[in-house]
Amino acid sequence: MNAAVLIAVMAVVTVLLRFLPFLIFRKQTPAYITYLGKVLPSAIIGMLVIYCLKDISLAVPPYGLPELIAAACVVGLQAWKRNSLLSILSGTLVYMVLIQTVF
Amino acid sequence: MNKSVVKQAFYKSLPVMAGYVVLGIGFGILLRSAGYGVLWAFAMSAFIYAGSMQYVGVGLISGGASILTTAFTTVMVNARHLFYSISMIDRYKNAGKYKPYLIFALTDETYSLLSDGHAPAEGDPNQYRFFVSLFDQCYWVTGSVLGSLLGAVLPFSTAGIEFSMTALFIASFTEQWLNTHDHVPALTGLVGTLLCLVVFGPERFLIPAMLLITLALTLLRKREERTI
């Protein structure tokens, strides 16, 4: 199929998924959906963390150690300084050094 | 337009910059190697604007997939966006002229920046969210175009820089954890997804995980509504 058509299909389906909940609950948001809106954010962020780490294999070297060490840096720094930019940049730098030089 | 709102939105968006530019470059390079140049990269990043879907999309267009396969794959890969929208319904309800773009631009990363609900005390919170979303998309489009133009001629090794996305989610998770007393939703997301990853494997755990999380949080509703 023509690439432009497929790109249009991907764009339209993605937009529909993003807009659908807003179209369905346009008038009044049911209490159940409001409740989900309150509890879902932290659950989804937890899900995304696992999603990013899904391809780590604990059975073969380096046993997910670079990810574990870098993740610990991010958590530690965030808890200490509460500065997301700092935690993210430091954690990424630690990870890059680890996989390029240590592991 | 409020300058301080734009400035604060820019600062808020900075953690996404490195990741989006780099992942965008990766996408641009991949698309070019599949035979589609800079205009295609720009069009996909401007109109689809969904990172992992665009990576999958390169395979779909270069492999000549059917419309039906493409539509179905998009639903599977992007179903999680339903979740983001559901949890933003009340926040974006009165966003007025900014609302359509805010919904269109609700990617994983933008969601993780805006889901904590914080906005500067002064100025229009919706304008602030609009600019955070817009800056993020600019980084993504810039990265895609750069990748397409530069190809694979980067002067230093960027191996591992993709971890910035993971780091962003871990930092958001930690921040939300420190800001709430009730850790049940966060643990539900973490443990439920881990469980599904072990049971279903890395290729198809995401949709079962979303269903399990929704089910668990639904069953916990009575208990949770007493604590929040």
Side-chain angles (χ1 to χ4, degrees):
Chain A
M1 188 50 69
N2 185 307
V5 176
L6 294 188
I7 290 172
V9 170
M10 287 183 254
V12 168
V13 174
T14 305
V15 160
L16 278 179
L17 287 168
R18 285 173 174 156
F19 275 82
L20 201 63
F22 288 91
L23 297 175
I24 295 174
F25 306 114
R26 196 164 15 177
K27 292 263 159 56
Q28 183 132 39
T29 321
Y32 171 61
I33 297 298
T34 307
Y35 162 73
L36 281 184
K38 276 194 197 115
V39 290
L40 274 182
S42 18
I44 299 174
I45 302 289
M47 181 184 89
L48 286 171
V49 169
I50 303 291
Y51 178 72
C52 283
L53 301 172
K54 71 185 160 79
D55 293 316
I56 296 175
S57 176
L58 299 176
V60 289
Y63 313 105
L65 273 176
E67 285 82 3
L68 192 73
I69 295 168
C73 286
V74 177
V75 173
L77 265 176
Q78 186 67 25
W80 180 33
K81 292 286 185 187
R82 306 296 287 267
N83 180 331
S84 303
L85 190 58
L86 178 76
S87 327
I88 293 163
L89 289 181
S90 314
T92 307
L93 213 63
V94 166
Y95 183 76
M96 288 173 73
V97 170
L98 284 178
I99 65 158
Q100 289 185 24
T101 62
V102 184
F103 291 100
Chain B
M1 195 159 65
N2 189 331
K3 265 201 186 128
S4 106
V5 167
V6 179
K7 212 162 102 188
Q8 296 197 58
F10 176 66
Y11 183 74
K12 180 84 170 175
S13 75
L14 278 178
V16 173
M17 186 196 269
Y20 262 16
V21 170
V22 171
L23 289 175
I25 287 176
F27 166 72
I29 292 173
L30 190 68
L31 190 64
R32 164 148 303 246
S33 65
Y36 297 87
V38 66
L39 280 177
W40 293 98
F42 177 83
M44 286 178 79
S45 291
F47 299 120
I48 304 176
Y49 189 34
S52 41
M53 187 56 223
Q54 288 180 226
Y55 274 88
V56 175
V58 175
L60 291 173
I61 56 178
S62 59
S66 71
I67 289 180
L68 203 65
T69 306
T70 304
F72 189 68
T73 308
T74 311
V75 171
M76 298 303 271
V77 174
N78 281 342
R80 66 187 187 287
H81 289 288
L82 289 169
F83 270 48
Y84 304 155
S85 292
I86 286 173
S87 79
M88 289 301 213
I89 281 181
D90 283 334
R91 188 161 303 145
Y92 284 177
K93 192 166 241 167
N94 300 311
K97 61 182 173 181
Y98 298 117
K99 194 173 169 182
Y101 183 74
L102 284 174
I103 300 173
F104 164 77
L106 201 52
T107 60
D108 303 291
E109 289 74 16
T110 303
Y111 177 80
S112 86
L113 290 182
L114 297 178
S115 66
D116 62 7
H118 285 301
E122 283 175 44
D124 178 357
N126 293 312
Q127 191 180 52
Y128 167 77
R129 292 178 185 125
F130 171 79
F131 278 107
V132 172
S133 308
L134 185 65
F135 282 130
D136 284 355
Q137 188 171 17
C138 289
Y139 306 145
W140 178 248
V141 172
T142 306
S144 315
V145 168
L146 274 180
S148 186
L149 292 176
L150 297 176
V153 288
L154 284 175
F156 57 91
S157 171
T158 52
I161 202 163
E162 71 280 359
F163 191 78
S164 59
M165 285 297 124
T166 314
L168 171 71
F169 296 134
I170 295 174
S172 307
F173 186 84
T174 310
E175 190 57 33
Q176 294 203 356
W177 183 281
L178 296 171
N179 277 329
T180 49
H181 295 292
D182 175 26
H183 298 145
V184 172
L187 286 173
T188 306
L190 213 56
V191 177
T193 311
L194 205 56
L195 199 71
C196 288
L197 175 61
V198 173
V199 174
F200 296 97
E203 297 310 317
R204 46 181 146 236
F205 72 104
L206 206 50
I207 290 182
M210 290 188 282
L211 295 175
L212 181 66
I213 289 169
T214 313
L215 181 71
L217 290 174
T218 304
L219 293 174
L220 288 166
R221 185 177 171 193
K222 280 238 163 60
R223 188 191 165 281
E224 283 297 295
E225 282 184 332
R226 279 198 300 268
T227 55
I228 52 178

